[in-house]
Amino acid sequence: MMKYFELQFYDNDSYLLEVSKGDRCKYVTCPTCKLILNKRSLIEKHLSTYKIKRKKYHLSSSYDGFNVVSQEFKDLYENSDWQGLVFYSIPKSKGFYLIECFQQVVINRTKRPIEFENKCNECGLYMGIYGSVPPYIDVDVIQKLKSNTFYRSDLEFGYDFEQGYSLFASQEITDKLIEYKLITKKDLIEVRNV
């Protein structure tokens, strides 16, 4: 059976959204808990003003839970015929792309309990979601995954507006990323089967 890994994204010292200033009135928020309800749909609207401050990583993330990759990663992705990611060019940070993954896998919630903090009765979102390291995915789910495709967790982990999903790739993909020196083995957390 193919092994899968969670990719580690390093902090790039940036925010896509302007939530660092506490200015949530620009966004659709829950009237009760104030969580942003349409966070993922705001990407294209904010790309023109987004700028990455720390550019030394091929895989990095913003403080508000958005993943970014380098031009080298995008080139390898396209040349390798990989699937599962959408790339958004970042005009103020040439050579970098914000990525989104729409292929979801369900994280097992029983093998390694996941902590859910303060569920909002109005919107149903949680103020915080923690756990899943290492991530556990049911074996019957893993057997259906394609080795050339990236997958994301069904949950977004973290607190408040910093929540972001985990991104998974097969050993076939991660071996190639290591070969091209875009990541190292320490950038991977092996997915466990249940």
Side-chain angles (χ1 to χ4, degrees):
M1 181 184 322
M2 177 69 72
K3 286 185 180 181
Y4 281 82
F5 297 90
E6 178 183 347
L7 298 167
Q8 297 302 292
F9 285 76
Y10 294 95
D11 172 16
N12 62 26
D13 196 22
S14 71
Y15 289 93
L16 176 69
L17 308 179
E18 296 177 30
V19 287
S20 62
K21 300 174 183 114
D23 187 9
R24 295 185 191 210
C25 62
K26 297 178 181 181
Y27 311 113
V28 177
T29 58
C30 173
T32 303
C33 70
K34 306 297 183 222
L35 282 171
I36 299 171
L37 300 178
N38 61 339
K39 179 176 159 180
R40 298 274 163 211
S41 68
L42 298 171
I43 292 170
E44 291 185 64
K45 181 179 178 182
H46 290 272
L47 274 174
S48 64
T49 58
Y50 181 48
K51 187 174 183 178
I52 300 167
K53 294 180 183 173
R54 190 176 299 142
K55 299 179 179 179
K56 66 180 186 177
Y57 304 113
H58 292 284
L59 285 80
S60 66
S61 64
S62 66
Y63 290 132
D64 47 357
F66 294 96
N67 293 328
V68 172
V69 297
S70 66
Q71 183 69 54
E72 293 86 350
F73 179 97
K74 184 177 187 287
D75 292 344
L76 184 60
Y77 177 94
E78 290 171 349
N79 293 332
S80 301
D81 196 31
W82 293 338
Q83 304 292 315
L85 299 180
V86 176
F87 293 81
Y88 299 91
S89 180
I90 305 172
K92 288 192 172 184
S93 294
K94 297 281 186 208
F96 288 90
Y97 299 84
L98 191 146
I99 58 167
E100 280 290 279
C101 182
F102 297 100
Q103 302 291 328
Q104 287 191 15
V105 294
V106 176
I107 301 290
N108 180 287
R109 289 147 172 78
T110 56
K111 183 67 176 175
R112 177 172 294 277
I114 294 172
E115 181 183 338
F116 295 90
E117 179 182 350
N118 297 335
K119 182 177 183 178
C120 177
N121 291 331
E122 176 108 7
C123 68
L125 296 176
Y126 292 90
M127 186 56 70
I129 302 177
Y130 316 99
S132 86
V133 179
Y136 283 85
I137 299 176
D138 292 341
V139 69
D140 58 324
V141 172
I142 286 187
Q143 289 174 338
K144 295 175 186 171
L145 302 182
K146 297 176 184 172
S147 63
N148 72 333
T149 303
F150 289 84
Y151 296 90
R152 60 161 283 187
S153 60
D154 62 318
L155 299 172
E156 293 198 29
F157 297 95
Y159 182 77
D160 196 7
F161 66 89
E162 297 175 349
Q163 293 181 24
Y165 55 77
S166 300
L167 190 67
F168 305 110
S170 67
Q171 185 167 6
E172 176 183 306
I173 291 172
T174 58
D175 284 350
K176 202 161 191 180
L177 290 171
I178 291 169
E179 177 188 341
Y180 281 79
K181 298 182 175 20
L182 302 184
I183 63 169
T184 64
K185 286 185 180 181
K186 72 177 182 60
D187 300 325
L188 303 173
I189 298 173
E190 187 174 345
V191 172
R192 305 289 170 88
N193 302 328
V194 181

PDB file of all heavy atoms in Angstrom, residues 131-142:
ATOM      1  N   GLY A 131      -5.182  18.743  17.243  1.00  0.00           N
ATOM      2  CA  GLY A 131      -4.902  17.311  17.274  1.00  0.00           C
ATOM      3  C   GLY A 131      -4.467  16.789  15.930  1.00  0.00           C
ATOM      4  O   GLY A 131      -4.075  17.541  15.053  1.00  0.00           O
ATOM      5  N   SER A 132      -4.504  15.501  15.807  1.00  0.00           N
ATOM      6  CA  SER A 132      -4.231  14.752  14.576  1.00  0.00           C
ATOM      7  C   SER A 132      -2.762  14.684  14.184  1.00  0.00           C
ATOM      8  O   SER A 132      -2.451  14.509  13.024  1.00  0.00           O
ATOM      9  CB  SER A 132      -5.051  15.287  13.393  1.00  0.00           C
ATOM     10  OG  SER A 132      -4.413  16.366  12.759  1.00  0.00           O
ATOM     11  N   VAL A 133      -1.838  14.792  15.127  1.00  0.00           N
ATOM     12  CA  VAL A 133      -0.421  14.609  14.781  1.00  0.00           C
ATOM     13  C   VAL A 133       0.081  13.384  15.535  1.00  0.00           C
ATOM     14  O   VAL A 133       0.111  13.414  16.759  1.00  0.00           O
ATOM     15  CB  VAL A 133       0.416  15.851  15.146  1.00  0.00           C
ATOM     16  CG1 VAL A 133       1.881  15.619  14.810  1.00  0.00           C
ATOM     17  CG2 VAL A 133      -0.093  17.075  14.428  1.00  0.00           C
ATOM     18  N   PRO A 134       0.446  12.317  14.861  1.00  0.00           N
ATOM     19  CA  PRO A 134       0.359  12.159  13.405  1.00  0.00           C
ATOM     20  C   PRO A 134      -1.095  11.961  12.977  1.00  0.00           C
ATOM     21  O   PRO A 134      -1.911  11.499  13.756  1.00  0.00           O
ATOM     22  CB  PRO A 134       1.187  10.899  13.136  1.00  0.00           C
ATOM     23  CG  PRO A 134       1.035  10.082  14.382  1.00  0.00           C
ATOM     24  CD  PRO A 134       0.946  11.091  15.504  1.00  0.00           C
ATOM     25  N   PRO A 135      -1.387  12.295  11.718  1.00  0.00           N
ATOM     26  CA  PRO A 135      -2.754  12.115  11.241  1.00  0.00           C
ATOM     27  C   PRO A 135      -3.074  10.640  11.003  1.00  0.00           C
ATOM     28  O   PRO A 135      -2.214   9.874  10.567  1.00  0.00           O
ATOM     29  CB  PRO A 135      -2.781  12.899   9.926  1.00  0.00           C
ATOM     30  CG  PRO A 135      -1.365  12.999   9.499  1.00  0.00           C
ATOM     31  CD  PRO A 135      -0.519  12.915  10.726  1.00  0.00           C
ATOM     32  N   TYR A 136      -4.298  10.265  11.300  1.00  0.00           N
ATOM     33  CA  TYR A 136      -4.788   8.910  11.044  1.00  0.00           C
ATOM     34  C   TYR A 136      -5.906   8.978  10.007  1.00  0.00           C
ATOM     35  O   TYR A 136      -6.813   9.808  10.123  1.00  0.00           O
ATOM     36  CB  TYR A 136      -5.338   8.272  12.324  1.00  0.00           C
ATOM     37  CG  TYR A 136      -4.262   7.793  13.259  1.00  0.00           C
ATOM     38  CD1 TYR A 136      -3.675   8.655  14.169  1.00  0.00           C
ATOM     39  CD2 TYR A 136      -3.826   6.474  13.233  1.00  0.00           C
ATOM     40  CE1 TYR A 136      -2.678   8.222  15.034  1.00  0.00           C
ATOM     41  CE2 TYR A 136      -2.830   6.026  14.098  1.00  0.00           C
ATOM     42  CZ  TYR A 136      -2.270   6.905  14.990  1.00  0.00           C
ATOM     43  OH  TYR A 136      -1.283   6.474  15.839  1.00  0.00           O
ATOM     44  N   ILE A 137      -5.799   8.120   8.996  1.00  0.00           N
ATOM     45  CA  ILE A 137      -6.827   8.028   7.962  1.00  0.00           C
ATOM     46  C   ILE A 137      -7.183   6.553   7.807  1.00  0.00           C
ATOM     47  O   ILE A 137      -6.296   5.687   7.794  1.00  0.00           O
ATOM     48  CB  ILE A 137      -6.331   8.622   6.622  1.00  0.00           C
ATOM     49  CG1 ILE A 137      -5.988  10.111   6.804  1.00  0.00           C
ATOM     50  CG2 ILE A 137      -7.389   8.442   5.537  1.00  0.00           C
ATOM     51  CD1 ILE A 137      -5.396  10.770   5.574  1.00  0.00           C
ATOM     52  N   ASP A 138      -8.468   6.273   7.691  1.00  0.00           N
ATOM     53  CA  ASP A 138      -8.925   4.883   7.563  1.00  0.00           C
ATOM     54  C   ASP A 138      -8.307   4.230   6.334  1.00  0.00           C
ATOM     55  O   ASP A 138      -8.204   4.851   5.268  1.00  0.00           O
ATOM     56  CB  ASP A 138     -10.449   4.818   7.476  1.00  0.00           C
ATOM     57  CG  ASP A 138     -11.119   5.234   8.785  1.00  0.00           C
ATOM     58  OD1 ASP A 138     -10.453   5.222   9.838  1.00  0.00           O
ATOM     59  OD2 ASP A 138     -12.314   5.579   8.744  1.00  0.00           O
ATOM     60  N   VAL A 139      -7.902   2.971   6.478  1.00  0.00           N
ATOM     61  CA  VAL A 139      -7.204   2.248   5.417  1.00  0.00           C
ATOM     62  C   VAL A 139      -8.048   2.144   4.146  1.00  0.00           C
ATOM     63  O   VAL A 139      -7.531   2.239   3.042  1.00  0.00           O
ATOM     64  CB  VAL A 139      -6.711   0.868   5.908  1.00  0.00           C
ATOM     65  CG1 VAL A 139      -7.865  -0.084   6.170  1.00  0.00           C
ATOM     66  CG2 VAL A 139      -5.720   0.266   4.948  1.00  0.00           C
ATOM     67  N   ASP A 140      -9.372   1.976   4.291  1.00  0.00           N
ATOM     68  CA  ASP A 140     -10.218   1.882   3.095  1.00  0.00           C
ATOM     69  C   ASP A 140     -10.262   3.216   2.338  1.00  0.00           C
ATOM     70  O   ASP A 140     -10.427   3.241   1.121  1.00  0.00           O
ATOM     71  CB  ASP A 140     -11.635   1.402   3.441  1.00  0.00           C
ATOM     72  CG  ASP A 140     -12.352   2.289   4.444  1.00  0.00           C
ATOM     73  OD1 ASP A 140     -11.694   2.822   5.354  1.00  0.00           O
ATOM     74  OD2 ASP A 140     -13.586   2.454   4.315  1.00  0.00           O
ATOM     75  N   VAL A 141     -10.063   4.335   3.043  1.00  0.00           N
ATOM     76  CA  VAL A 141      -9.990   5.640   2.390  1.00  0.00           C
ATOM     77  C   VAL A 141      -8.658   5.770   1.654  1.00  0.00           C
ATOM     78  O   VAL A 141      -8.602   6.181   0.491  1.00  0.00           O
ATOM     79  CB  VAL A 141     -10.157   6.791   3.421  1.00  0.00           C
ATOM     80  CG1 VAL A 141      -9.887   8.146   2.787  1.00  0.00           C
ATOM     81  CG2 VAL A 141     -11.557   6.748   4.025  1.00  0.00           C
ATOM     82  N   ILE A 142      -7.572   5.386   2.312  1.00  0.00           N
ATOM     83  CA  ILE A 142      -6.235   5.490   1.711  1.00  0.00           C
ATOM     84  C   ILE A 142      -6.129   4.636   0.448  1.00  0.00           C
ATOM     85  O   ILE A 142      -5.508   5.050  -0.531  1.00  0.00           O
ATOM     86  CB  ILE A 142      -5.142   5.113   2.733  1.00  0.00           C
ATOM     87  CG1 ILE A 142      -4.995   6.264   3.734  1.00  0.00           C
ATOM     88  CG2 ILE A 142      -3.813   4.817   2.058  1.00  0.00           C
ATOM     89  CD1 ILE A 142      -3.870   6.151   4.687  1.00  0.00           C
TER      90      ILE A 142
END
